[in-house]
Amino acid sequence: MAAKELALKLFEKFGDLISAPSEFRGEVTVLLSDPEQIAEVCLFAKKDLGFDYLVDLSSVDNYGEDPRWTLVYELYGYGHRAHLRVKTHVGEEKSELPTVTAVWKTADWHEREVYDMMGIRFRGHPDLRRILMWEGYPYFPLRKDFPLAGKPTDLPEVAFTRPAPLEGGPFVTAPGAKDAIAREPRVRNFEPDEVKTISRLERRRDLGRADDQNPAAIGEK
């Protein structure tokens, strides 16, 4: 059975709680309007529709919008080989919804990672603690208001962090440079216009070397 047919069965079962399935590039998605029903919807998807594998559970920070959080559940069935995406929204003030660990055991670490990186809690989780950062770390690194350079923290006898200035790279590139080191320097203290100039010079040097190896091109200069 195709994913869209299975999604329609979910829609028929839960009525207005589930949106009509949408399809984009062969992938089918439904939106659950009430996050408090996520465990019930997932249980039906597993037992009645054959989605026996929770591939992934991720979260999206819609910073500046309400609701702020979007939870994305990627489901797969080994029997019918169909994939279905279930989304639901959670407001920042609540930042909590039921766990689905009773449906799929793999949800355990997925939910812990979302909690660790975004601060969204999963009610009923058997062991909801941080999985990447240490216990006592006060921030959530994947939130959009968390700076790329990080924040200073200090937990005596446990761990500490210091900001790591990006200094213009590697998130700013100089297109056209000869190699990755020139395109994405770890330290860049010059202005953007200078970056463009350096990029053009590097490109011209590359063309010059190519011309040296191709005598026929010299007369075309």
Side-chain angles (χ1 to χ4, degrees), residues 108-123:
D108 188 331
W109 281 20
H110 290 316
E111 291 180 352
R112 283 179 60 190
E113 183 177 11
V114 172
Y115 165 69
D116 192 6
M117 295 290 102
M118 287 288 202
I120 302 169
R121 299 177 299 276
F122 295 88
R123 189 171 59 256

Side-chain angles (χ1 to χ4, degrees), residues 139-192:
Y139 306 115
F140 304 102
L142 284 188
R143 290 187 174 186
K144 287 185 178 178
D145 53 359
F146 185 86
L148 290 175
K151 292 183 177 183
T153 61
D154 195 357
L155 193 62
E157 300 182 7
V158 178
F160 71 91
T161 60
R162 297 286 181 267
L166 303 178
E167 306 210 12
F171 299 95
V172 179
T173 62
K178 64 178 180 178
D179 54 32
I181 294 175
R183 283 194 303 273
E184 297 186 351
R186 296 296 167 174
V187 177
R188 180 179 293 151
N189 295 319
F190 36 77
E191 296 299 318

